[in-house]
Amino acid sequence: MKTYTIAAIPADGIGVEVIAAGIEALDVLAEKAGTFRFRFDRFDWGSDHYKSHGVMMPADGRDQIRNHDAIFFGAVGAPDVPDHITLWGLRLAICQPFDQYANVRPTRILPGITSPLRNVSGPELDWVIVRENSEGEYAGVGGRVHQGHPNEVATDVSMMTRSGVDRIIRYAFALARTRPRKLLTVVTKSNAQRYAMVMWDEIAAEVARDFPDVTWDKMLVDAMTMRMVTKPETLDTIVATNLHADILSDLAAALAGSLGIAPTANINPERTFPSMFEPIHGSAFDIAGKGIANPIATFWTACQMLEHLGEKSAADRLMRAIERVTADPNLHTPDLGGRATTRQVTAAVIAAIRGDNA
Ligand code: IPM
Ligand code: MG
């Protein structure tokens, strides 16, 4: 029997609750499949680790997880630690060195969930956002001088490389090709940003030649927000820079009903390093410890993890279980306007997995 070793990093806030729920569901899926199992190694890194050790994870942290098959990540961020420390100290400290350059964010309106968009009930909104995840506005290039003085200068330089742009656009075209509509929208801002974004557009046109069966178009990011709201049915696969996709994916999550549902996968397509799977929602300290966090985003990212591991039928089974549960409003957590608890939703998903003999 195959054993997948998974590095579980629940980290902060509700990350702890949703990762525990995800592990439970994954173990039941493995048991049901009977052909593989999981070994979860839990790493207690995050803001508490920072408060007691001065670092979000140990210096050899990456070495400890480098050989795992995947990373199952909760959320980072604490009210009493600056956000740039928690983020750069753990999440980006894994994503960037492990070259997880493709951040994949599927969005759909699941059964039983109401979109804030009038006349949109489900099929009109079925997107995958591919976010450049290694450079651009998050390159970490910049600095501050003359701090606190009136002449202080601060820069965050968005840095784009030809190889970095080429590989993400190529990944997006290849993904678009696997989807029924074979439709890709390349988001840009080359009207205002006349160097890197112009290169981005040029590379998109070059790569497109290798994918003649994919229909593609180009969209300025500001106009893109309108199109997502007014003509969601015209979109399918979307590729955008790190920051543009960060913003668009929150909009997408809201249009699909709740951030509590939205999953993400940080993929190293070459598989030189493990990929990392996480819910998009943050640590949500306002509801941490109350047992009401929505575990659906974590279950959905677990589907992405199973697909990445090559366990497609287990991924499909988990997705069917998720959809059965969201279809029942009695099983909606408060972010969806319901009163269900993390426990109840998890138990229902597990029951649906056990009862699924497809
Ligand atoms: C996301 C989040 C992060 C990001 C935050 C927590 C820094 O918003 O995954 O979309 O901007 O990358
Ligand atoms: Mg975001």
Side-chain angles (χ1 to χ4, degrees), residues 98 119 127 131 152 233 270 308 347:
F98 280 179
N119 309 324
W127 305 331
R131 170 179 181 182
E152 179 170 356
E233 71 287 351
E270 291 74 27
H308 183 76

Side-chain angles (χ1 to χ4, degrees), residues 87 91 105 131 138 246:
L87 181 70
R91 192 170 161 276
R105 304 189 157 191
R131 170 179 181 182
Y138 284 58
D246 173 44

Side-chain angles (χ1 to χ4, degrees), residues 21-350:
I23 288 175
E24 238 185 282
L26 282 164
D27 276 336
V28 174
L29 276 162
E31 187 190 303
K32 179 94 184 173
T35 50
F36 65 90
R37 64 177 161 227
F38 290 107
R39 196 192 78 212
F40 291 98
D41 295 330
R42 190 192 149 107
F43 297 88
D44 286 318
W45 303 339
S47 297
D48 286 341
H49 191 277
Y50 176 80
K51 285 179 217 163
S52 44
H53 300 90
V55 283
M56 292 290 289
M57 67 171 168
D60 68 346
R62 278 191 302 273
D63 291 333
Q64 295 185 37
I65 59 176
R66 183 181 302 272
N67 295 317
H68 283 73
D69 292 305
I71 304 163
F72 197 34
F73 193 88
V76 278
D80 47 356
V81 183
D83 284 338
H84 64 272
I85 290 181
T86 53
L87 181 70
W88 284 95
L90 190 57
R91 192 170 161 276
L92 291 180
I94 295 171
C95 284
Q96 295 196 348
F98 280 179
D99 213 13
Q100 296 164 346
Y101 63 84
N103 182 266
V104 181
R105 304 189 157 191
T107 312
R108 275 193 295 127
I109 302 177
L110 299 183
I113 308 289
T114 313
S115 169
L117 292 178
R118 252 183 303 136
N119 309 324
V120 172
S121 60
E124 306 87 351
L125 197 162
D126 183 353
W127 305 331
V128 184
I129 298 179
V130 176
R131 170 179 181 182
E132 201 298 312
N133 210 32
S134 67
E135 54 177 35
E137 308 87 344
Y138 284 58
V141 177
R144 286 176 75 172
V145 287
H146 311 309
Q147 280 199 40
H149 292 277
N151 62 343
E152 179 170 356
V153 179
T155 58
D156 276 296
V157 179
S158 170
M159 185 204 69
M160 299 204 192
T161 61
R162 176 165 283 275
S163 58
V165 174
D166 185 274
R167 66 186 185 174
I168 195 66
I169 301 263
R170 215 165 269 288
Y171 185 90
F173 268 100
L175 180 66
R177 179 180 261 175
T178 66
R179 293 178 43 94
R181 296 173 68 191
K182 302 191 192 318
L183 183 64
L184 177 70
T185 299
V186 177
V187 176
T188 185
K189 191 64 197 176
S190 50
N191 54 348
Q193 295 179 298
R194 56 193 177 148
Y195 304 111
M197 292 312 299
V198 172
M199 179 179 79
W200 169 273
D201 290 2
E202 285 170 11
I203 293 171
E206 283 165 29
V207 173
R209 285 187 221 121
D210 294 338
F211 295 86
D213 52 331
V214 175
T215 309
W216 74 288
D217 64 358
K218 212 169 69 179
M219 202 73 211
L220 295 171
V221 64
D222 47 348
M224 183 67 175
T225 59
M226 291 206 294
R227 180 162 163 199
M228 287 168 72
V229 172
T230 58
K231 295 188 183 127
E233 71 287 351
T234 66
L235 297 164
D236 188 86
T237 309
I238 297 161
V239 63
T241 67
N242 215 329
L243 181 63
H244 289 168
D246 173 44
I247 298 164
L248 296 179
S249 61
D250 265 27
L251 175 59
L255 297 179
S258 169
L259 198 57
I261 291 175
T264 188
N266 302 279
I267 306 279
N268 170 245
E270 291 74 27
R271 294 173 188 259
T272 314
F273 300 100
S275 294
M276 180 158 86
F277 301 83
E278 55 173 345
I280 291 189
H281 62 68
S283 48
F285 265 84
D286 52 329
I287 59 162
K290 293 191 179 159
I292 55 167
N294 191 346
I296 295 291
T298 299
F299 295 145
W300 195 345
T301 194
C303 289
Q304 293 185 289
M305 184 166 91
L306 288 163
E307 274 173 24
H308 183 76
L309 294 172
E311 299 296 345
K312 175 83 172 100
S313 63
D316 290 346
R317 176 173 281 144
L318 177 53
M319 202 64 221
R320 285 194 296 272
I322 291 170
E323 295 192 357
R324 279 190 65 157
V325 168
T326 60
D328 181 354
N330 290 318
L331 292 170
H332 288 182
T333 41
D335 56 296
L336 292 171
R339 299 177 53 185
T341 62
T342 313
R343 225 10 295 131
Q344 286 167 333
V345 177
T346 306
V349 165
I350 286 173

